[in-house]
Amino acid sequence: MPEPVKSYDRLAGWGAIVTGAGSLGEGIGTGKAISLLLAREGARVALFDLDHDRAAETRDLITGQGAEAKIFTGDVTDGEACAAMVEEAVQWLGRLDILVNNVGMGAGAGRLEAIAPAAWERGIALNLGSAYNMTRAAITALLAGEGKAVVNIASVAGVLAHGTASYGPAKAAMIQFTREIAVMYGREGLRANAVLPGHIMTPLVERFASPDARETRRLIAPLGVEGDAWDIAQAVIFLAGPEARFISGAILPVDGGVTQIAPLAAYEALTGESMTR
Ligand SMILES: NC(=O)c1ccc[n+]([C@@H]2O[C@H](COP(=O)([O-])OP(=O)(O)OC[C@H]3O[C@@H](n4cnc5c(N)ncnc54)[C@H](O)[C@@H]3O)[C@@H](O)[C@H]2O)c1
């Protein structure tokens, strides 16, 4: 998708926090795209990232367009760090309307025997604990804001097994965490929703996906289109904004349809060989 250019100022005056707001390399990762679109809609954006320089690229793109963003550096797997960063960010934002829990990645590859307990725990901390830490730290400020929106970036790996020891299980738990938050705080007007990215081309994926792997990923989904970070960001912007006021607890795959296709139909799409008709 080409970089979206329109801005509608839908979120003028709103404050947002995005975790993992930098990108792991050249190009546009999910947190960067989400931060840029939030800013274009008029929100002030607090950029949370482990790495100041990565977040600085996002900040410079935002401020270069005349919008406001500030970096808060720290590890979102650390609950105390999250509490301190959120306190500072809320002071700067003035008010908090949107929290996007975007940090997540695999930790340790291979079968169970190859994955040491520390690597497994890191996977759970990155993909589930981070959302707990951040939502817990931000909830009081969120409930005092106007938007009252939490958007969690889970994965299709949370609903379909890929043979991962911690990534898929943590993403599945993040999906359920989203529903639990929706129920826990619904009466106070807070909405919590999850976006499930499918096969998305981001700087992180570019590091390990060969051209053949990319082509296979593209072909296996019904749309036959390669997704990018803008596709995810557009869904997040909708779920976070006022038009989604009646949507909570939703689990939205943004995946070209890959979670809906039967394995045999996917085989057909890849090989052209007819298995089902
Ligand atoms: N890329 C895909 O194909 C794909 C598919 C499904 C789900 N997802 C999910 O989408 C989300 C975004 O993935 P992405 O690859 O676009 O990454 P991203 O580009 O959005 O985020 C990368 C940033 O996160 C920061 N970060 C990493 N660990 C951190 C930590 N502990 N604390 C603070 N910051 C940290 C890094 O420094 C980096 O700047 C993840 O939750 C991922 O699991 C991605």
Side-chain angles (χ1 to χ4, degrees):
M1 181 194 278
E3 183 170 340
V5 287
K6 282 187 183 157
S7 163
Y8 300 98
D9 265 355
R10 290 163 58 239
L11 306 177
W14 286 32
I17 293 175
V18 179
T19 71
S23 279
L24 292 167
E26 300 266 308
I28 304 281
T30 310
K32 190 187 249 181
I34 293 167
S35 303
L36 284 163
L37 286 200
L38 285 168
R40 272 183 217 171
E41 295 290 348
R44 293 182 113 190
V45 189
L47 309 169
F48 280 33
D49 207 293
L50 261 184
D51 186 305
H52 182 276
D53 291 349
R54 291 180 194 146
E57 288 179 24
T58 308
R59 181 203 53 204
D60 293 347
L61 288 170
I62 291 176
T63 54
Q65 294 174 352
E68 289 181 86
K70 188 169 173 171
I71 299 167
F72 299 86
T73 311
D75 185 343
V76 294
T77 65
D78 175 341
E80 285 179 18
C82 288
M85 286 193 291
V86 167
E87 193 180 331
E88 268 185 67
V90 172
Q91 267 180 22
W92 175 72
L93 290 168
R95 74 178 221 223
L96 181 61
D97 298 284
I98 297 169
L99 168 65
V100 182
N101 288 313
N102 168 68
V103 162
M105 68 184 76
R111 287 153 56 98
L112 290 183
E113 309 91 287
I115 295 175
W120 188 85
E121 281 160 19
R122 183 75 187 149
I124 301 295
L126 275 168
N127 295 291
L128 176 64
S130 59
Y132 160 76
N133 289 337
M134 283 298 303
T135 312
R136 184 168 189 268
I139 193 70
T140 304
L142 279 167
L143 291 173
E146 190 182 313
K148 298 185 172 66
V150 175
V151 183
N152 291 328
I153 310 302
S155 171
V156 296
V159 292
L160 293 172
H162 291 64
T164 64
S166 64
Y167 184 73
K171 290 294 193 184
M174 197 202 209
I175 290 169
Q176 185 61 14
F177 180 66
T178 307
R179 297 189 183 105
E180 299 292 350
I181 296 302
V183 168
M184 206 176 285
Y185 297 104
R187 281 291 193 273
E188 287 145 275
L190 185 116
R191 300 178 302 104
N193 293 291
V195 169
L196 278 50
H199 303 141
I200 304 295
M201 197 55 198
T202 59
L204 177 62
V205 172
E206 205 161 3
R207 283 186 181 183
F208 62 78
S210 66
D212 279 357
R214 276 181 77 173
E215 188 60 0
T216 304
R217 278 165 41 122
R218 179 180 75 75
L219 287 173
I220 212 160
L223 281 181
V225 169
E226 184 175 60
D228 63 26
W230 299 116
D231 294 309
I232 305 306
Q234 296 285 10
V236 172
I237 297 302
F238 168 66
L239 288 172
E243 294 84 359
R245 68 170 204 126
F246 197 49
I247 303 179
S248 194
I251 308 304
L252 178 64
V254 180
D255 67 349
V258 80
T259 43
Q260 306 308 315
I261 192 167
L264 281 184
Y267 178 81
E268 274 185 12
L270 268 180
T271 63
E273 189 184 332
S274 178
M275 300 282 286
T276 53
R277 286 184 288 268

